[in-house]
Amino acid sequence: LERKYEHPLWSKEGDTARALGGHGGMDYIMMFRLIDAITAGRPPDIDVYDAAAWSAVSPLSAESIRLGASVPIPDFTNGAWESKRAGFLT
């Protein structure tokens, strides 16, 4: 990808992110965004419900393999995901 097409965050932090590794630098970018949001008083890009869903994939996949069948991802929001919430896209 040509640098002229990179997102400004990658232009600014990409070299550091790539050097520190972790999923091609994305781990660094995600932590950078979280810390930046907290220090600026903005909502983070993901919330605790997103984090729970992301964290559930591996154990649920293991359970699916053990059972030989698909396993649903729990609705950690109890249906609240259907309502608009504050975030970086709002």
Side-chain angles (χ1 to χ4, degrees), residues 64-89:
S64 174
I65 292 167
R66 187 183 73 74
L67 295 174
S70 63
V71 176
I73 295 177
D75 179 4
F76 296 106
T77 70
N78 200 27
W81 64 271
E82 296 186 66
S83 301
K84 189 172 180 145
R85 62 185 177 178
F88 79 109
L89 294 177

Side-chain angles (χ1 to χ4, degrees), residues 46-60 73-77:
I46 66 169
D47 61 17
V48 68
Y49 302 108
D50 294 326
W54 288 12
S55 298
V57 172
S58 291
L60 291 173
I73 295 177
D75 179 4
F76 296 106
T77 70

Side-chain angles (χ1 to χ4, degrees), residues 7-65:
H7 186 277
L9 181 58
W10 275 106
S11 298
K12 180 180 175 193
E13 298 292 331
D15 291 337
T16 302
R18 288 180 199 91
L20 293 175
H23 298 103
M26 201 60 202
D27 289 352
Y28 174 88
I29 294 295
M30 293 299 291
M31 290 304 297
F32 177 89
R33 291 281 302 165
L34 175 62
I35 293 165
D36 184 55
I38 290 169
T39 57
R42 292 188 314 268
D45 296 336
I46 66 169
D47 61 17
V48 68
Y49 302 108
D50 294 326
W54 288 12
S55 298
V57 172
S58 291
L60 291 173
S61 295
E63 182 70 2
S64 174
I65 292 167

